[in-house]
Amino acid sequence: MRPEGPKWFRFRSAGATVLFARENFTVKRRIVRLCLALLIALIAGGTILALSSTTRTRTFFTFYRAWHAHWPFAAGKQLPDHLSRFFVPFVPIWVHVEPGVTMRLDPYDYVTQAILLQHTWEPVTTHDILQHVPSGGTFVDVGAHVGWYTLKAAKVVGPMEHVIAVEPNPETLIQLRDNIRASGVSAVVVVAPVACSDSETTLTLYAAPEANTGESSLSSANAAQTGGVAASYPVRGRRLDDIVKEAHTGRVDALKIDVEGAEFLVLKGATETLDRDRPIVSVELVDAQLKAMGSNVAEVTAFMRSHGYTPTGTHELNTIFVPVAAR
């Protein structure tokens, strides 16, 4: 979860592939629509001080998404970035991202900013892991953050408690629970406000700065990648095996782990679940982050192989492991 991009937000939009072979009528129609949208945006910009912060933010990001979705040429693609100065400062806003997913999104926080811009987060990994979760199945989200994977899985599994969201950061927990309530899936999700470890213990969680709260970590070095550590909290450490048993959700079908360097700790506390249920597993593997906590990618991969798993591909820093018999 590392930020990059323009000054006012640390994210680089991939943009849409430019298709120059469109029929002239279609291109002209889109240009007219976009010019009208630009005119409206400029008018709003001229009276921006009269608008509320929420309206300002919502107007800009609606315009941004429409522009990048429809503008047919390479030239002018970054126009919304140049117009952003008429709309800042931005504020967090509630967004109905898609049916069943409603989230409070902060334009200045890396992950939520990406969702604001593109209405998705890690789309390849999301698809790869959730295609293995059947209706009535069970999904476990370790490092749930504000709940993207949790909410997406809740749409799939059905009306009972078959999603476990593990998140230790007390500030992020507030946002996670609010997003769960707003999306109407409180009956589906069990929230575990702990850090996963290989034993029952007390750990220190280091909160990352507001620019990228997703980098909060059990390693102070990992949490400080985009600035100094914002805060530290004592948190309960628990084995994932114990969390799963207490949730009484049944067989785990898919497990996602993104905990900024503590992935090996999580896996060592999940051996019973891995060996018994044979779930598909998505693990964020960043060697530098793992090394800050005494592990590395090779060690994690060897551990998974020793439990009968093989990696099938890496997307968006996440490696998908599948049980050998499931290939």
Side-chain angles (χ1 to χ4, degrees):
M1 299 182 181
R2 297 188 179 183
E4 56 182 6
K7 293 181 179 179
W8 66 269
F9 64 99
R10 298 186 176 94
F11 182 85
R12 180 182 299 133
S13 173
T17 303
V18 179
L19 301 177
F20 289 101
R22 294 183 182 278
E23 296 180 359
N24 288 337
F25 175 75
T26 301
V27 173
K28 289 179 180 178
R29 183 174 60 184
R30 288 190 172 184
I31 291 174
V32 169
R33 287 178 178 175
L34 286 164
C35 286
L36 289 173
L38 175 59
L39 178 61
I40 293 170
L42 289 173
I43 292 171
T47 60
I48 203 67
L49 293 178
L51 301 178
S52 70
S53 298
T54 298
T55 301
R56 231 174 24 240
T57 302
R58 194 175 300 281
T59 298
F60 175 79
F61 282 96
T62 299
F63 170 64
Y64 185 101
R65 287 191 300 272
W67 186 270
H68 278 273
H70 299 295
W71 182 251
F73 307 117
K77 200 71 175 178
Q78 301 307 317
L79 180 62
D81 298 327
H82 300 299
L83 291 177
S84 65
R85 68 180 185 272
F86 295 112
F87 297 85
V88 294
F90 299 128
V91 296
I93 56 173
W94 282 101
V95 178
H96 182 61
V97 181
E98 60 183 57
V101 178
T102 299
M103 307 179 75
R104 186 173 183 269
L105 301 174
D106 184 348
Y108 295 106
D109 194 346
Y110 181 56
V111 174
T112 54
Q113 171 199 102
I115 299 171
L116 256 178
L117 292 172
Q118 298 188 340
H119 274 200
T120 190
W121 169 251
E122 296 185 340
V124 178
T125 306
T126 301
H127 173 267
D128 284 355
I129 193 72
L130 291 185
Q131 69 175 328
H132 296 284
V133 182
S135 175
T138 297
F139 176 76
V140 180
D141 188 359
V142 181
H145 193 229
V146 296
W148 172 256
Y149 283 92
T150 290
L151 299 177
K152 292 284 286 185
K155 295 172 57 177
V156 175
V157 301
M160 301 303 290
E161 293 183 341
H162 286 289
V163 177
I164 303 173
V166 183
E167 176 56 52
N169 188 326
E171 296 298 324
T172 304
L173 269 169
I174 296 171
Q175 300 174 56
L176 172 63
R177 287 177 165 138
D178 285 347
N179 290 340
I180 290 170
R181 280 192 293 269
S183 298
V185 293
S186 296
V188 179
V189 182
V190 177
V191 176
V194 300
C196 282
S197 185
D198 57 355
S199 63
E200 183 77 26
T201 186
T202 299
L203 301 166
T204 300
L205 177 76
Y206 299 95
E210 292 182 358
N212 194 354
T213 59
E215 286 186 333
S216 298
S217 173
L218 297 177
S219 160
S220 59
N222 289 345
Q225 293 176 87
T226 55
V229 171
S232 62
Y233 306 99
V235 297
R236 184 182 181 186
R238 302 198 68 200
R239 296 193 319 145
L240 183 59
D241 287 333
D242 296 331
I243 296 170
V244 169
K245 286 177 185 176
E246 291 179 9
H248 301 293
T249 56
R251 177 183 182 273
V252 174
D253 296 282
L255 166 62
K256 165 251 171 184
I257 306 171
D258 181 350
V259 287
E260 305 303 300
E263 285 77 11
F264 194 31
L265 273 179
V266 177
L267 289 168
K268 288 192 292 184
T271 54
E272 294 173 17
T273 301
L274 295 176
D275 296 340
R276 180 188 64 244
D277 296 342
R278 314 300 288 158
I280 302 297
V281 184
S282 170
V283 188
E284 184 183 59
L285 294 179
V286 179
D287 207 48
Q289 293 184 359
L290 290 166
K291 286 178 177 177
M293 296 203 64
S295 182
N296 55 62
V297 171
E299 185 176 27
V300 172
T301 303
F303 174 86
M304 293 299 288
R305 290 188 185 280
S306 74
H307 285 272
Y309 280 80
T310 186
T312 60
T314 299
H315 306 284
E316 301 147 339
L317 302 180
N318 305 301
T319 298
I320 303 294
F321 291 92
V322 301
V324 174
R327 293 194 74 186

